[in-house]
Amino acid sequence: MNNQDQQKQDQCLMLAYAKGDAGAFDQLYGKHKQAVFRFFIRQNLSNAIAEELCHDTWLKLINNRENYQVTALFSTFLFTIARRIAIDYSQNKSVTLERQQADNKSEGDISQLAKSEVAAQEHATDNQTLAEALKQQIASLPFEQREVFLLKQEAGFSLEDIAQITAQNKEKVKSSWRYALQKMRKGLRFYDR
Amino acid sequence: MTDKQQDKQLVEDQAFIDSLYEELADETGKANEEPPSEQLDQRILAAAHKAVASKPTLQKNRNWFYPIATAASAILMITLVGHQIYSPVTENVEMPLALTDSVPSTDNDKHTFSTNEITAMDTSLFEPPLASEASFVSEEERATTGKHAVKMQASAEKQITRQASQQAKQSKAKRSSMKQEAEMTAKKSVQEKQKVYPATKPIPLTKQQYLALESESKEQSLDWILLLETETNYIIELQHFDNQKSYYLLQKQQFQLDNTSKSAPKSFSEIQLQ
């Protein structure tokens, strides 16, 4: 089944759920729960918080089921909600705390990244280390770039879809994507062969 | 860096990241698999099922609620419109209420003469024919009463006209007959009013008035009859030499008089100022 068919199926399932078919939701959830959860966990959030935000996202989708229109792709609809939840969460947290975390991160990340680079260099073939290094590099990206990177690389959206989800210009999304890739490659250069 | 170079760089960077993701996927089968907990799954699925489970109940409610609500609204509308069109116009004309204004008021009264008190009086005292009653009314009061009557008639007409305009469907003939009826009602009620209430109210007797009347009594005969005695007041009828009568309210604190006989006329000089 190609991507278009999948999208159509998702749309049908969502419409069926909006009409009261709970089974349709079970299928949708099974298909997309992983992507949504990964979207949050990659935001450098703890497991518990990522789960909580996941819960909020799906709950919002449940409550807004009747507002879903066929014109929007289901995944776009879903990730638009997820993104808003992520932004709300970051705004609700005090800016100071975020800054502190950012400062700590920038200081700690340098040392951590340096350490991980060293560790990665030592165990370059170790996939667990690669996974960890990827995670850290994603977490160290600025919010806009991280958001675009996750939606593109992890959730598989096109730049057009991301522009729609984030309500931004496509060129800006492309620019964020480019910078995100540059930083990721730079951070993971020891894997570059 | 030109656009082409930038795009080339972008493609290279993307290929590099993709290769890393592929490397992870090759090794583990699925890249970065981090499933949410089962508890979370259960919570979300339960919420989803609950949300749609409650919906049919709502629709059930709507099934009977909306038709009944619509029917009730329609009935209410029809009743209101029917009431507006077919109900008689002048049954509740407010003229009788307004006519109470035509009774001369005594703003300077310390003791206002209540309806009960008047009723309590010997009504025979207030029963002379209308013509003689009218003679008690001063010219000014008569003019005021006349004005009020005219005013009331005008307001009644206005009201009738206003109500009639709301009933555009009613014929002009009916409207004029209603108007005449209202005028008749107004006149009738004025007449009734005059029968029930005395044309004039007892005037509280002040010291100045007393002195003036006393000096008048020395020149001409001025007799009085006690009409009513209350706890605090006397009400007397003053008979002037030309047979004109007027009523006065005397406060017991201020005046002293012989209250033994009510029917016999007495001289004004018997009223003493305390």
Side-chain angles (χ1 to χ4, degrees):
Chain A
M1 197 184 280
N2 65 27
N3 193 38
Q4 265 194 338
D5 290 340
Q6 277 188 354
Q7 290 291 355
K8 274 192 178 178
Q9 194 188 28
D10 287 350
Q11 285 173 358
C12 291
L13 288 170
M14 187 60 201
L15 289 173
Y17 176 60
K19 285 178 184 171
D21 180 1
F25 181 85
D26 294 351
Q27 288 185 51
L28 274 177
Y29 180 70
K31 281 173 79 174
H32 296 277
K33 66 172 182 178
Q34 189 68 38
V36 176
F37 183 69
R38 201 186 301 138
F39 176 73
F40 286 118
I41 206 83
R42 290 282 191 271
Q43 306 274 350
N44 199 26
L45 300 170
S46 70
N47 227 43
I49 292 171
E51 284 198 352
E52 202 53 46
L53 299 186
C54 249
H55 178 257
D56 292 351
T57 303
W58 285 104
L59 215 62
K60 208 164 188 178
L61 181 112
I62 290 164
N63 292 334
N64 286 294
R65 62 190 180 280
E66 281 165 359
N67 298 334
Y68 175 70
Q69 291 175 339
V70 192
T71 46
L73 293 178
F74 171 74
S75 51
T76 312
F77 183 63
L78 178 63
F79 273 87
T80 305
I81 296 172
R83 178 179 172 268
R84 278 187 200 150
I85 297 279
I87 290 172
D88 284 351
Y89 173 75
S90 61
Q91 282 175 348
N92 285 344
K93 281 184 75 175
S94 71
V95 180
T96 329
L97 186 67
E98 209 163 87
R99 276 184 188 160
Q100 278 176 355
Q101 281 180 341
D103 291 345
N104 294 339
K105 217 184 285 168
S106 57
E107 288 170 11
D109 282 351
I110 292 166
S111 56
Q112 261 193 337
L113 281 173
K115 279 179 192 172
S116 69
E117 279 176 23
V118 173
Q121 279 169 341
E122 285 172 0
H123 311 284
T125 51
D126 187 344
N127 277 317
Q128 274 196 338
T129 318
L130 172 60
E132 190 59 33
L134 263 174
K135 205 174 169 182
Q136 283 181 8
Q137 282 302 323
I138 293 167
S140 67
L141 291 173
F143 178 77
E144 280 186 9
Q145 292 173 21
R146 183 168 67 229
E147 182 180 66
V148 172
F149 181 85
L150 290 174
L151 290 171
K152 179 88 171 67
Q153 189 68 34
E154 302 257 352
F157 284 105
S158 67
L159 292 178
E160 286 83 1
D161 290 340
I162 297 169
Q164 199 182 336
I165 290 169
T166 58
Q168 284 178 345
N169 189 303
K170 191 192 160 189
E171 288 306 312
K172 200 184 173 192
V173 172
K174 195 177 177 184
S175 169
S176 298
W177 171 236
R178 180 184 293 124
Y179 285 121
L181 284 178
Q182 280 175 7
K183 282 184 186 169
M184 290 291 288
R185 191 174 184 184
K186 196 177 171 186
L188 300 165
R189 60 184 176 277
F190 38 85
Y191 286 102
D192 209 349
R193 290 156 193 149
Chain B
M1 199 183 275
T2 62
D3 284 352
K4 272 191 179 180
Q5 284 173 323
Q6 276 186 344
D7 287 346
K8 196 184 168 189
Q9 182 69 39
L10 181 72
V11 172
E12 281 177 11
D13 291 343
Q14 193 169 353
F16 169 68
I17 297 295
D18 285 345
S19 70
L20 293 181
Y21 271 83
E22 279 168 18
E23 201 173 316
L24 279 175
D26 289 344
E27 189 67 23
T28 57
K30 282 182 181 177
N32 303 317
E33 200 64 42
E34 293 161 9
S37 67
E38 275 187 19
Q39 281 181 334
L40 177 69
D41 292 349
Q42 282 169 4
R43 275 169 69 196
I44 291 168
L45 291 173
H49 284 247
K50 195 180 170 186
V52 288
S54 60
K55 196 178 174 183
T57 320
L58 277 174
Q59 280 195 331
K60 238 182 199 175
N61 289 344
R62 279 176 195 162
N63 285 342
W64 65 264
F65 177 77
Y66 284 111
I68 287 179
T70 314
S73 306
I75 289 167
L76 186 67
M77 284 281 288
I78 290 163
T79 312
L80 286 173
V81 169
H83 187 262
Q84 282 288 317
I85 292 170
Y86 299 112
S87 63
V89 185
T90 53
E91 277 181 359
N92 293 322
V93 176
E94 291 175 2
M95 283 181 299
L97 280 176
L99 281 168
T100 51
D101 293 344
S102 64
V103 178
S105 63
T106 53
D107 292 339
N108 55 347
D109 280 5
K110 282 182 182 172
H111 173 81
T112 50
F113 210 58
S114 73
T115 312
N116 290 338
E117 284 173 325
I118 291 167
T119 320
M121 290 179 192
D122 181 3
T123 47
S124 63
L125 293 168
F126 292 96
E127 274 180 355
L130 281 175
S132 61
E133 269 185 7
S135 65
F136 300 140
V137 183
S138 68
E139 281 303 311
E140 190 183 343
E141 283 170 343
R142 213 178 287 167
T144 317
T145 313
K147 273 181 190 176
H148 276 299
V150 171
K151 206 176 175 184
M152 288 324 299
Q153 278 184 4
S155 73
E157 282 174 11
K158 264 186 188 176
Q159 186 150 357
I160 291 163
T161 313
R162 209 181 302 133
Q163 288 183 348
S165 69
Q166 290 172 356
Q167 301 177 343
K169 290 182 181 176
Q170 285 189 337
S171 65
K172 280 184 182 177
K174 193 178 176 185
R175 216 184 300 163
S176 64
S177 70
M178 295 283 190
K179 201 173 167 185
Q180 282 174 356
E181 201 177 292
E183 282 169 6
M184 290 294 288
T185 315
K187 280 175 188 172
K188 223 178 183 181
S189 83
V190 168
Q191 286 169 356
E192 279 171 5
K193 209 87 190 171
Q194 285 174 343
K195 278 181 188 173
V196 174
Y197 299 110
T200 179
K201 275 184 178 180
I203 304 161
L205 188 65
T206 60
K207 271 185 187 176
Q208 288 80 7
Q209 282 172 330
Y210 171 81
L211 295 171
L213 288 168
E214 193 183 31
S215 64
E216 189 186 329
S217 68
K218 284 171 187 170
E219 295 167 9
Q220 299 158 352
S221 72
L222 195 60
D223 295 336
W224 58 272
I225 301 170
L226 179 63
L227 296 180
L228 183 78
E229 184 182 355
T230 64
E231 279 183 24
T232 52
N233 300 306
Y234 301 112
I235 293 172
I236 60 163
E237 182 189 85
L238 209 61
Q239 295 171 338
H240 297 268
F241 75 101
D242 53 357
N243 283 336
Q244 279 196 354
K245 293 175 183 175
S246 53
Y247 299 97
Y248 285 99
L249 184 81
L250 280 65
Q251 286 192 350
K252 282 183 176 177
Q253 287 178 341
Q254 276 188 309
F255 302 98
Q256 196 178 10
L257 49 78
D258 176 18
N259 57 356
T260 49
S261 168
K262 283 188 178 178
S263 54
K266 292 164 192 164
S267 170
F268 188 82
S269 58
E270 288 182 30
I271 299 173
Q272 300 295 321
L273 194 62
Q274 286 185 337

